Amino acid sequence: MTLRQVMTSGLFALGLLASAQTTATGPSPAQSLFDQATFLIGFNYNGPATVPNFRELRRQYQPQLDQACAGQGNRCGYEKARPIIASIVESLKDPFTVMMTRAQMDDDERYMAGLGPSTPRIGVWVRQIPQGLVVLESFSNEPAFEAGVRRGDLITQIGGQPATLARLTEAEASKAAFPLTYTRRGTPSTITLTAKVAESTMRPRLEMVGNTAVIRIYHLYSSEDFVVAQRVHDILREANSRGARGIVIDLRDALSGFDTDALRVASAFIDQGGFIYDRRWQGGDETYGFQGNNFFTQEEGGERAAAGGLQLGRPSRTQLPTVVLVNRNTINSTEMLAYFLQKAGRARVVGEPTAGALGQSGSADGLISGDYIAVSSLRMKNLDGSPFPQRLTPDVAVPENLEALLNGQDVQLERALELLR
């Protein structure tokens, strides 16, 4: 995914937004937001779903807005349009096309700097089950980790109440200390935590399991000051110096990021690769690729040009046997990384079918309400012109097993290590 924060108020000046909820003093905020969002979806969408043009999209959903704004005229606020826009997005069943808040966009910007989320957290990724919250990741140097919480623990109570995602979010947002009870293989512990804004906890990390290097990648967002791909290349050199005989790339629950960084990480494992952004309009396609350590771009109908901005200062290359771990939440750019290595025959993929946003990309555009909307506006193709699949299918299917994880057994990682042996 390529994030591009663009305020599209210019669309009004072009006369593209026709409002039904319009009075002598102009359209209501709800109508303006509805018009803007339906234009972005109906005009830009180029993903797997079938979407009518923006005028037809408005005709279909305008009655819902009229009903929500009945009697309010041009005083009808943004909040009346949001659930209608959300229902349009939901109907597409496209995991890449989503509404986003300003806070989520702030998170993306912090990930680009190698930092954690923008709001206070205790530093865990969890999955809710009837018994509580299973810890999937406990980030080092964050409150939960420092208090002893680790992957595979079960959070059973938050503030003396049964643990749920909603209660965890509420406790973190309070910014006050709260008690948390967790069990490790049946043994309970109660700790007191205070959420804080995470710092450098989202950077790729290396863990040696015997002579196997396990590289955990949380996202593929990069900036001038922090480049995920360079960190992975550096980790590979470190793994080699520590005697690694095999590599596991763990992309389970990994967020998205930049498609070009998926390519830059892949360049540590394969000699050449690339992709094409297939746009809706003639002459708009773009190609990104590499041969060896040299990256290039190419506009449709144009010549290849060196992509100096994609070059890595300290590239590395490994021939060690590699396995990639994915699950149902591995999405978009991280799906692409796994796909590049699988398609090249360079790595076997273990886990579950991925989120289903592999075959598309796009951008996040700013809405007048302060929200954002990400739309699948680009279809992904291989360099030979063949389309990407919508999701990645593992070579070795191993479903997530949370019960086993609570008993200290990571069945997907164990299968990956077994394949390397």
Side-chain angles (χ1 to χ4, degrees):
M1 177 176 70
T2 54
L3 284 181
R4 176 170 48 88
Q5 297 176 30
V6 180
M7 290 306 295
T8 51
S9 57
L11 298 176
F12 295 95
L14 293 173
L16 293 173
L17 305 182
S19 302
Q21 291 286 328
T22 303
T23 68
T25 55
S28 68
Q31 185 68 59
S32 296
L33 177 59
F34 173 83
D35 288 347
Q36 184 189 22
T38 50
F39 175 81
L40 289 170
I41 297 170
F43 185 80
N44 289 336
Y45 189 81
N46 194 29
T50 300
V51 178
N53 66 56
F54 70 90
R55 292 184 178 89
E56 178 59 28
L57 201 61
R58 289 177 188 163
R59 278 194 291 268
Q60 288 182 19
Y61 287 91
Q62 183 67 49
Q64 294 184 27
L65 185 66
D66 292 342
Q67 183 177 2
C69 291
Q72 298 181 52
N74 65 356
R75 295 176 289 102
C76 190
Y78 295 135
E79 70 280 358
K80 296 295 184 179
R82 285 192 181 101
I84 299 170
I85 298 166
S87 70
I88 298 173
V89 170
E90 177 67 23
S91 71
L92 302 181
K93 300 187 185 304
D94 178 344
F96 186 87
T97 300
V98 294
M99 285 192 71
M100 304 171 66
T101 65
R102 175 68 253 183
Q104 288 173 310
M105 290 298 293
D106 288 344
D107 286 350
D108 289 350
E109 292 173 359
R110 285 179 59 83
Y111 297 153
M112 292 179 205
L115 306 175
S118 59
T119 55
R121 310 285 173 91
I122 63 169
V124 291
W125 281 354
V126 296
R127 188 99 73 238
Q128 185 168 322
I129 62 173
Q131 302 95 308
L133 303 175
V134 181
V135 178
L136 304 178
E137 189 74 36
S138 182
F139 293 94
S140 60
N141 301 318
E142 295 304 321
F145 186 93
E146 292 177 345
V149 177
R150 296 293 183 270
R151 173 175 167 82
D153 290 344
L154 176 66
I155 300 173
T156 58
Q157 289 192 330
I158 296 171
Q161 300 294 318
T164 64
L165 284 169
R167 283 201 175 97
L168 176 58
T169 300
E170 182 181 351
E172 289 176 324
S174 72
K175 302 181 184 179
F178 63 93
L180 178 147
T181 299
Y182 69 93
T183 64
R184 180 172 301 158
R185 290 189 279 284
T187 302
S189 299
T190 298
I191 56 179
T192 299
L193 298 176
T194 303
K196 69 174 186 179
V197 176
E199 292 303 327
S200 58
T201 59
M202 301 291 284
R203 297 172 181 244
R205 65 174 177 82
L206 169 65
E207 179 185 355
M208 295 298 297
V209 179
N211 59 6
T212 298
V214 179
I215 303 174
R216 185 72 166 104
I217 298 177
Y218 302 107
H219 63 74
L220 291 170
Y221 293 103
S222 290
S223 65
E224 291 183 3
D225 298 324
F226 170 69
V227 180
V228 171
Q230 185 62 72
R231 172 63 179 148
V232 174
H233 282 247
D234 292 343
I235 284 175
L236 287 170
R237 272 190 295 272
E238 180 184 350
N240 184 65
S241 70
R242 294 173 64 173
R245 301 293 296 275
I247 297 167
V248 173
I249 302 175
D250 190 350
L251 298 175
R252 292 174 294 178
D253 296 296
L255 309 175
S256 185
F258 295 122
D259 306 336
T260 49
D261 252 47
L263 206 59
R264 292 202 281 181
V265 172
S267 72
F269 298 86
I270 57 180
D271 295 326
Q272 58 184 356
F275 60 80
I276 299 171
Y277 282 140
D278 180 15
R279 301 184 186 277
R280 294 178 65 177
W281 53 86
Q282 181 68 29
D285 292 358
E286 292 176 277
T287 298
Y288 291 83
F290 71 92
Q291 291 181 324
N293 295 324
N294 298 313
F295 287 79
F296 64 85
T297 61
Q298 184 175 5
E299 300 290 335
E300 185 175 353
E303 299 294 326
R304 285 189 178 183
L310 298 181
Q311 301 298 141
L312 295 169
R314 302 179 302 279
S316 65
R317 183 67 54 78
T318 180
Q319 299 299 325
L320 290 176
T322 301
V323 174
V324 181
L325 291 177
V326 297
N327 67 4
R328 71 198 75 171
N329 295 320
T330 306
I331 188 167
N332 196 244
S333 300
T334 48
E335 287 179 277
M336 290 178 195
L337 171 55
Y339 174 66
F340 293 143
L341 300 189
Q342 183 192 55
K343 188 174 188 299
R346 180 61 183 84
R348 298 185 76 181
V349 177
V350 171
E352 302 171 323
T354 55
L358 170 58
Q360 64 254 33
S361 192
S363 62
D365 292 280
L367 298 173
I368 56 175
S369 60
D371 304 301
Y372 291 79
I373 189 166
V375 175
S376 295
S377 57
L378 304 168
R379 297 195 183 199
M380 302 297 298
K381 289 186 176 181
N382 296 295
L383 293 180
D384 63 6
S386 60
F388 278 30
Q390 275 306 116
R391 58 170 38 83
L392 191 72
T393 301
D395 299 297
V396 181
V398 182
E400 181 178 72
N401 189 331
L402 296 179
E403 290 297 327
L405 185 60
L406 291 174
N407 289 312
Q409 183 182 10
D410 187 335
V411 295
Q412 293 168 328
L413 177 58
E414 289 179 7
R415 187 72 177 99
L417 295 173
E418 181 181 311
L419 289 172
L420 289 173
R421 285 194 293 267

